Amino acid sequence: MGKEEKYRISVLGEFMDKSLEDEFLTDSLSSSKTMTAYLALVFGLILGLFLAHSYITEAGTPLFARITPIRIVFILASVFVYFISRSITKPNHLVLVVSFYQAMMGLTYLLTLKHYGSLTYFSVLGLLVITLAMYLLPNRIVLSQLITLAFSVLFFVFPSRKLEGLQPHELHRIIAYQTIMLIHCNINYGWTGRTKRRHFMANRELFELSIRDSLTGAYNRKKFDDAVDEWIKISQRYGNPLSIIFFDIDNFKAINDQHGHLVGDGVLKDVAAVVGQQIRETDVFARWGGDEFVILLPNTDLVRAEQVVERIRASLGSSAASTLKGITCSFGVAACEEHDTKLLLLRKVDHLLLQAKTAGKDRVVG
């Protein structure tokens, strides 16, 4: 899949590539759950103020007795969402919590209106405000659309009929207002989502540039240093095998001297391309410096690492690229042992590569 196709954004403002959308949601989880938590707190506080006003004006009436439990349930739900959203670690769990809370907002309002004998136009204003509030919460746009649409339909099926002096043409006008609000919220939500994802793409590309070697496209030394530290810790904690391959291009200086650095650059790029095709996505392939490269192989023992080397050698020998005619490499292969540090592991594999060079090049020493 090409970069442009992978980065395509739908009309709803979401990545069409599911894995990329999941990556975006994971990256934005921290800000999304913080927003959810504090919006829930604000919405709960606002309804608490309505409850206090009802206590002052309606305390002791049957109406107050009927609507108070509904509002208390929503306030408690707001407190629940505040605490639970702050501890969420997966985007899908946040989606469930937000969808539940949006449904609670609509249901609380509809149940409250049900207990009033007649309504005023402030009830219509409440419909518009709650719709807008639902779209403030960071949810998947399709779910927000379904919940707000259901909320709107239910409002017009029953509560709106209780508006005092409502004429048919006025009902149509209210429907038009709510339709405009839904269209506005969806356009704004989709545009905001698109903008956030474009920023995410830009940051992602900048990060990729910061960890990649500009010539070969392999990872750079800094990225490899970070990765090897992490994988050694994992290997020693869980007892998983970890291997490392260190190799360079035989007689590379002679290639630069005889054919020029542009040809030498072409050799480096083509070697890196061949190696990249023979390893897994989880492997860490980096340019160490000059014509030296290193491959970190997580969950791979020494035997399997040597098999990887043989595949690379065979692919280099059979490559159709003109720059790789007669090109060979020397390899050192080592496995991480129980008490190895990064320095000890690198020294070990560097010594094995030196042995391969000393023994005549174009060979593997492990």
Side-chain angles (χ1 to χ4, degrees):
M1 183 184 294
K3 181 186 292 186
E4 289 187 4
E5 184 178 353
K6 183 179 178 66
Y7 285 172
R8 282 179 62 192
I9 300 175
S10 70
V11 292
L12 298 177
E14 297 181 349
F15 286 119
M16 299 185 72
D17 182 83
K18 186 180 182 303
S19 63
L20 191 58
E21 179 66 17
D22 290 342
E23 188 179 335
F24 167 78
L25 292 175
T26 301
D27 182 73
S28 58
L29 179 61
S30 178
S31 59
S32 294
K33 67 183 189 180
T34 300
M35 180 183 294
T36 300
Y38 286 104
L39 282 176
L41 209 58
V42 170
F43 295 158
L45 178 61
I46 290 173
L47 198 64
L49 295 175
F50 275 97
L51 183 60
H53 177 266
S54 294
Y55 177 77
I56 294 171
T57 59
E58 301 169 348
T61 65
L63 177 63
F64 180 76
R66 290 195 298 267
I67 64 174
T68 296
I70 298 171
R71 288 173 170 172
I72 289 176
V73 168
F74 180 79
I75 293 169
L76 292 175
S78 299
V79 174
F80 168 78
V81 170
Y82 171 76
F83 285 107
I84 196 69
S85 60
R86 296 177 69 187
S87 61
I88 284 174
T89 57
K90 294 183 179 179
N92 288 341
H93 294 171
L94 183 64
V95 167
L96 291 174
V97 170
V98 172
S99 298
F100 158 78
Y101 192 57
Q102 287 175 320
M104 281 290 296
M105 291 171 68
L107 188 61
T108 299
Y109 190 64
L110 293 173
L111 289 176
T112 301
L113 294 184
K114 179 183 177 182
H115 293 289
Y116 282 89
S118 62
L119 306 179
T120 67
Y121 282 99
F122 282 106
S123 304
V124 177
L125 180 62
L127 169 71
L128 299 175
V129 170
I130 290 174
T131 300
L132 180 60
M134 287 183 182
Y135 275 98
L136 290 176
L137 291 161
N139 197 4
R140 301 293 296 265
I141 188 169
V142 173
L143 293 174
S144 291
Q145 288 172 334
L146 290 174
I147 293 168
T148 53
L149 183 60
F151 171 57
S152 302
V153 170
L154 290 173
F155 179 86
F156 288 110
V157 165
F158 180 64
S160 67
R161 303 294 181 178
K162 300 166 72 174
L163 285 167
E164 295 176 347
L166 182 66
Q167 301 297 318
H169 70 276
E170 293 174 320
L171 174 63
H172 297 156
R173 187 176 298 174
I174 294 168
I175 293 174
Y177 290 157
Q178 178 64 358
T179 302
I180 292 170
M181 174 62 77
L182 288 171
I183 292 172
H184 164 75
C185 288
N186 276 279
I187 291 175
N188 183 68
Y189 209 79
W191 185 263
T192 302
R194 181 179 291 270
T195 302
K196 287 180 178 178
R197 283 160 178 81
R198 283 176 174 168
H199 287 161
F200 170 75
M201 289 188 298
N203 291 335
R204 193 173 188 262
E205 290 182 347
L206 284 173
F207 176 73
E208 280 293 314
L209 288 173
S210 72
I211 62 174
R212 294 282 179 182
D213 173 59
S214 59
L215 176 64
T216 63
Y219 287 125
N220 57 26
R221 181 92 170 253
K222 181 182 183 306
K223 167 65 177 178
F224 177 81
D225 284 341
D226 293 340
V228 73
D229 281 332
E230 186 65 25
W231 279 111
I232 287 176
K233 290 178 184 176
I234 294 173
S235 175
Q236 293 177 344
R237 182 181 303 165
Y238 300 106
N240 297 336
L242 176 68
S243 296
I244 187 169
I245 300 169
F246 201 20
F247 73 95
D248 69 4
I249 301 171
D250 295 329
N251 306 312
F252 185 73
K253 184 177 184 301
I255 295 172
N256 278 335
D257 292 342
Q258 294 174 19
H259 303 286
H261 288 279
L262 290 179
V263 172
D265 287 349
V267 171
L268 290 171
K269 287 191 286 187
D270 288 340
V271 166
V274 168
V275 173
Q277 293 171 357
Q278 300 302 318
I279 60 176
R280 305 163 299 184
E281 288 188 7
T282 52
D283 298 332
V284 183
F285 173 45
R287 186 181 179 190
W288 188 256
D291 64 316
E292 294 179 324
F293 295 88
V294 62
I295 310 171
L296 193 66
L297 303 170
N299 303 311
T300 305
D301 59 24
L302 188 60
V303 173
R304 289 175 59 195
E306 289 174 344
Q307 292 172 353
V308 172
V309 172
E310 292 304 328
R311 287 205 309 270
I312 292 172
R313 294 183 70 201
S315 297
L316 288 171
S318 62
S319 174
S322 59
T323 54
L324 298 183
K325 298 300 181 184
I327 295 297
T328 61
C329 295
S330 299
F331 298 83
V333 187
C336 181
E337 297 177 341
E338 184 177 356
H339 299 294
D340 277 346
T341 63
K342 178 175 71 174
L343 185 59
L344 288 174
L345 183 61
L346 291 173
R347 280 180 177 172
K348 180 165 54 178
V349 75
D350 183 50
H351 180 68
L352 293 170
L353 172 60
L354 182 60
Q355 287 183 18
K357 303 290 284 187
T358 304
K361 304 178 182 180
D362 188 21
R363 64 193 65 225
V364 183
V365 175

